[in-house]
Amino acid sequence: IGVLQPWIEYRRKEGVAVGTINHGLKVVRRILNLASSEWMDEYGMTWLQAAPKIKLLPDTHKRQPYPLSWDEQTALFKALPAHLAQMALFAVNTGCRDSEICGLRWDWEMPIPQLDTSVFLVPGYLVKNGDERLVVLNRIAQSVVEAQRGKHPTHVFHYHGKPLNHMLTSAWKRARLRVGLPQVRVHDLKHTFG
């Protein structure tokens, strides 16, 4: 991390958050790990013999997850517009991220007739780690999907016929204020599932 110290200090002087600096360090760490394990030259040798260890900065201001209680879920979902309530219910029952839910497409669905359900295989470009994600549907998530079936030709979730880019809308913000949960983020639905 010594070589990166001037960059870290420069970013701190700019007032950049520790989380943002750590994200940059993670990118460098990933590149170095690839250079020592996967990327090879014309002789089949990795670019680095071993990747140096890069420790992240302690982040004392990192926001803690806020899993919602049953009562909080009920209140929030009732306050949300119908399309967001369905997406939120799907999120707490699958653990999917906002981008995975907004981008969820019908052609990713795979029926499992033996179990009388289906799953979705989300492509890696929508998943945080870049790997395909298998979304297993419990009874509630399956009922949400069935309620959406036939409403849009390509996307499971939409608003007035158009796919959404994110769930954190002004309607989400108003709903969480109305029920006294101003701290709740869309990502907390994933923590609630967990």
Side-chain angles (χ1 to χ4, degrees), residues 86 106 143-152 156-158:
Q86 289 293 296
W106 290 113
S143 71
V144 170
V145 168
E146 290 307 321
Q148 300 297 85
R149 197 172 298 283
K151 292 183 178 180
H152 192 274
V156 177
F157 299 104
H158 58 90

Side-chain angles (χ1 to χ4, degrees), residues 3 9 17-18 44-45 60 62 67 74 89 103 122 125 143 145 160 167 177 181:
V3 174
E9 294 307 320
V18 171
M45 303 292 292
T60 56
K62 190 173 187 178
T74 301
L89 187 58
V122 179
Y125 72 84
S143 71
V145 168
H160 292 304
M167 292 170 59
L177 287 175
L181 297 168

Side-chain angles (χ1 to χ4, degrees), residues 4-194:
L4 295 169
Q5 199 60 43
W7 176 80
I8 292 169
E9 294 307 320
Y10 172 75
R11 297 294 279 164
R12 281 186 165 165
K13 285 178 187 168
E14 286 184 316
V16 174
V18 171
T20 304
I21 295 170
N22 279 341
H23 178 72
L25 293 173
K26 287 176 188 176
V27 170
V28 171
R29 183 166 60 186
R30 175 72 175 138
I31 290 168
L32 292 172
N33 284 335
L34 287 170
S36 70
S37 63
E38 293 184 32
W39 295 344
M40 301 196 183
D41 63 17
E42 62 273 15
Y43 304 106
M45 303 292 292
T46 58
W47 294 6
L48 293 175
Q49 192 170 3
K53 301 291 183 205
I54 296 179
K55 290 186 179 180
L56 303 180
L57 304 176
D59 193 352
T60 56
H61 298 293
K62 190 173 187 178
R63 184 191 176 283
Q64 293 301 306
Y66 186 87
L68 284 82
S69 70
W70 289 109
D71 291 340
E72 289 170 333
Q73 287 178 58
T74 301
L76 178 62
F77 296 174
K78 282 182 182 175
L80 288 168
H83 72 287
L84 285 177
Q86 289 293 296
M87 295 170 84
L89 187 58
F90 186 83
V92 298
N93 281 280
T94 61
C96 286
R97 293 178 181 278
D98 181 34
S99 61
E100 296 167 354
I101 295 169
C102 291
L104 197 65
R105 297 178 56 94
W106 290 113
D107 56 346
W108 300 343
E109 185 178 24
M110 300 168 55
I112 311 291
Q114 301 89 335
L115 300 176
D116 194 30
T117 189
S118 60
V119 297
F120 283 85
L121 191 59
V122 179
Y125 72 84
L126 272 180
V127 181
K128 185 177 179 182
N129 70 2
D131 294 337
E132 288 182 331
R133 173 162 154 58
L134 180 67
V135 180
V136 178
L137 305 180
N138 66 13
R139 182 180 45 82
I140 295 169
Q142 184 69 38
S143 71
V144 170
V145 168
E146 290 307 321
Q148 300 297 85
R149 197 172 298 283
K151 292 183 178 180
H152 192 274
T154 58
H155 286 76
V156 177
F157 299 104
H158 58 90
Y159 182 63
H160 292 304
K162 294 183 181 176
L164 297 137
N165 293 322
H166 50 81
M167 292 170 59
L168 183 61
T169 61
S170 55
W172 173 277
K173 293 173 185 176
R174 284 192 303 271
R176 70 183 180 184
L177 287 175
R178 262 196 314 276
V179 297
L181 297 168
Q183 75 282 12
V184 173
R185 305 170 303 172
V186 172
H187 195 70
D188 289 319
L189 301 174
K190 183 174 175 61
H191 293 301
T192 303
F193 171 80

